[in-house]
Amino acid sequence: MPSQRRSADAAKDAAAFEQEALALVDRLYATAIRLTRNDADAQDLVQDTYLKAFRSAAQFEAGTNLRGWMFTILHNTFLNQRRDRGRDPVDADSEAVERAPDDREAAPNPEELLLRGTL
């Protein structure tokens, strides 16, 4: 019997966690919009936040600040995504670069511009 009681309590806690977490979706989305400045990226960020939160729900201590916990996950996920995007290599079309006009000879270099301004 005690194991059934613990199982019922765990299911009750999980349902309460889910209900409280889902009640924050609008606030999380508004923050995600401010961070990403893009609707699709904000939706992805909120989805990733909920995925991480539900996967880690067992680590959340009932009675503590769920809202703060969710927003911490959101901000950390955003920062991790931004850092990871900065590591992506830059794609460049080498053929387009080769066809681009070479303006180096026509334009003076910065030193020449500086010297012209001081003379």
Side-chain angles (χ1 to χ4, degrees), residues 39-102:
D39 183 56
D41 289 342
Q43 290 176 10
D44 289 344
L45 179 57
V46 171
Q47 182 177 4
D48 289 345
T49 298
Y50 274 100
L51 180 66
K52 289 178 181 182
F54 285 131
R55 283 183 178 167
S56 302
Q59 295 175 355
F60 179 73
E61 296 179 25
T64 59
N65 186 1
L66 177 63
R67 183 174 178 258
W69 192 67
M70 294 291 291
F71 276 92
T72 298
I73 294 171
L74 179 93
H75 282 103
N76 288 340
T77 302
F78 171 72
L79 293 173
N80 289 340
Q81 288 174 351
R82 197 166 97 186
R83 183 189 64 234
D84 291 344
R85 284 186 187 140
R87 292 181 182 163
D88 289 342
V90 175
D91 291 330
D93 183 4
S94 59
E95 291 180 22
V97 171
E98 291 295 323
R99 289 190 307 263
D102 187 6

Side-chain angles (χ1 to χ4, degrees), residues 107-119:
N109 65 35
E111 288 178 10
E112 290 174 356
L113 292 173
L114 183 63
L115 289 174
R116 286 185 199 166
T118 59
L119 293 177

